[in-house]
Amino acid sequence: MTAHRNFKLRVRARAAKTGESYTAALRHFRPTPTGEDMPEETTLRLAIVQTAMRHDPTSTAELRAGGAEIRDFLRQAAAAGARLVHFTEGAICFPSKRVMSELGPDEVGPSDWTRAQWPVLQSELDQIAGLAAELGIWAVIPSVHQLPEGRPHNSMYVVSDQGKVVTRYNERTLSTTKLTWMYTPGTEPVTFDVDGFRFGLALGLDVLFPELFTEYDQLGADGVLVSYATNRVSRHEHVAVQARGCAVNNTCWISFAVPANPDGGLASGVVDPRGEWVAQAPANGSPAIAVAEVHHSDVTQAGREFRRRTRERVGS
């Protein structure tokens, strides 16, 4: 108990000296979680957003509207005291296979990405990054990522509170349509750290593959930010069940961001390490934001360590 109290006093002393928050000062003493309990003050306020769906990246008006909506939600998240904001797949635009088809719209074929308004998309992303710096908030923004040659990636940009893109994740488990006609798949997991918390990233159908979440557990992630969308008009409640299962199976937080779609049967929300929703946006499919407090104290380290050791033994 004395060592634990002394540790907390050291963190508070640094915070008082530098003007940092407690969690920011904590990073200098313990940049990643260990097997022991973290101080109870270690929390992070996370905002989860569901935005309207737009499907035409050849439309300047649609791209501008998508960027404006994201910036509006960034302001709302900052006003709510959020440190990190997580957006859905296709938050600016979720390109339709029929809109992009060189044979379309009546027939699906290879996507003609030369018609996309890339300069407009980049302009919107730059404005979003600039606002994140102005507000001092982190943001995870899925977007199409143009490559020098070939098809683009379906990606998630991580923008720091300094307005810098610090990393990018590219969707790995592409659907048949995405792989055949639209995108280049990614190949690697990606993590990033904010105020002593480590997050992994998952996009699209990644949520249906538990092994990807086990991989993030092995990389020391406290949670995974999952962005999911579909152009199909059908119910997808089973996807939320998958997300909750990934939280329980890896004793981690799951942030589950989906579009505002009244017909999809889904709502954006945050799942705790026990598989319970701790915050959700309205289920009526309206654009909205929800806020949750993510705690290290709610991550059962003993259970995580047992699971990791057992997986290593079984897999060896």
Side-chain angles (χ1 to χ4, degrees), residues 112-271:
D112 180 7
W113 289 103
T114 63
R115 297 188 295 114
Q117 295 296 314
W118 293 109
V120 177
L121 177 59
Q122 187 60 54
S123 173
E124 294 303 312
L125 290 169
D126 290 344
Q127 292 180 63
I128 291 166
L131 182 60
E134 178 183 330
L135 297 172
I137 196 169
W138 286 69
V140 175
I141 307 158
S143 180
V144 180
H145 178 77
Q146 188 179 24
L147 294 174
E149 296 181 359
R151 298 172 182 167
H153 287 307
N154 189 33
S155 302
M156 302 171 76
Y157 293 108
V158 178
V159 179
S160 76
D161 56 359
Q162 302 299 310
K164 305 296 183 182
V165 175
V166 296
T167 192
R168 187 187 78 245
Y169 173 73
N170 307 314
E171 183 185 0
R172 290 182 280 173
T173 60
L174 297 176
S175 67
T176 300
T177 294
K178 286 179 176 178
L179 184 61
T180 304
W181 306 119
M182 302 186 73
Y183 298 111
T184 297
T187 58
E188 296 179 345
V190 170
T191 64
F192 68 101
D193 296 332
V194 181
D195 296 351
F197 289 83
R198 175 163 294 174
F199 294 101
L201 298 168
L203 184 59
L205 293 188
D206 286 347
V207 68
L208 303 182
F209 294 85
E211 58 268 32
L212 300 187
F213 293 80
T214 300
E215 182 178 35
Y216 279 127
D217 177 51
Q218 294 168 341
L219 292 173
D222 300 296
V224 181
L225 309 184
V226 180
S227 296
Y228 175 83
T230 176
N231 275 323
R232 297 175 58 193
V233 181
S234 56
R235 308 290 289 185
H236 293 268
E237 290 94 336
H238 66 283
V239 181
V241 175
Q242 290 278 134
R244 293 178 66 187
C246 289
V248 174
N249 288 338
N250 296 285
T251 321
C252 71
W253 294 85
I254 296 290
S255 179
F256 183 60
V258 298
N261 176 12
D263 300 316
L266 296 173
S268 293
V270 178
V271 184

